[in-house]
Amino acid sequence: MINTYDQVFNTALSLPPGLRAMLAEHLFKSLDPQNKMEMDAVWGELAEQRLADIEQGEVNLIPGEQVLRDLRNRG
């Protein structure tokens, strides 16, 4: 029987990626709806602020291809 956090976590990590993603989604959906609404609101505000920063030219945008190339070269 699985009865500790570490056992549950290790068992979940042994699942194939697709099943881990499904499990993560189900766990996230099981969180307190009020808490989820608050988290969604915070993320929404952050996204709106970042969009405003972009539209006002306050940030330097980096093309996705360059970001991926830089990440690959970190290796």
Side-chain angles (χ1 to χ4, degrees):
M1 171 182 245
I2 298 174
N3 57 9
T4 70
Y5 170 84
D6 289 334
Q7 289 172 319
V8 171
F9 184 73
N10 290 329
T11 300
L13 286 179
S14 72
L15 296 171
L19 289 177
R20 285 196 318 262
M22 287 174 50
L23 177 60
E25 182 179 354
H26 286 277
L27 289 171
F28 183 72
K29 286 181 179 179
S30 73
L31 295 175
D32 176 24
Q34 181 62 35
N35 188 29
K36 184 179 179 312
M37 288 174 46
E38 291 172 11
M39 286 188 296
D40 289 347
V42 170
W43 279 113
E45 290 173 16
L46 180 60
E48 289 176 10
Q49 181 58 52
R50 288 188 177 182
L51 179 59
D53 291 344
I54 291 168
E55 290 174 340
Q56 295 169 9
E58 296 180 13
V59 294
N60 295 321
L61 299 179
I62 302 171
E65 297 83 15
Q66 181 181 340
V67 172
L68 293 174
R69 184 176 52 251
D70 292 348
L71 287 172
R72 283 188 207 103
N73 290 334
R74 280 186 175 181

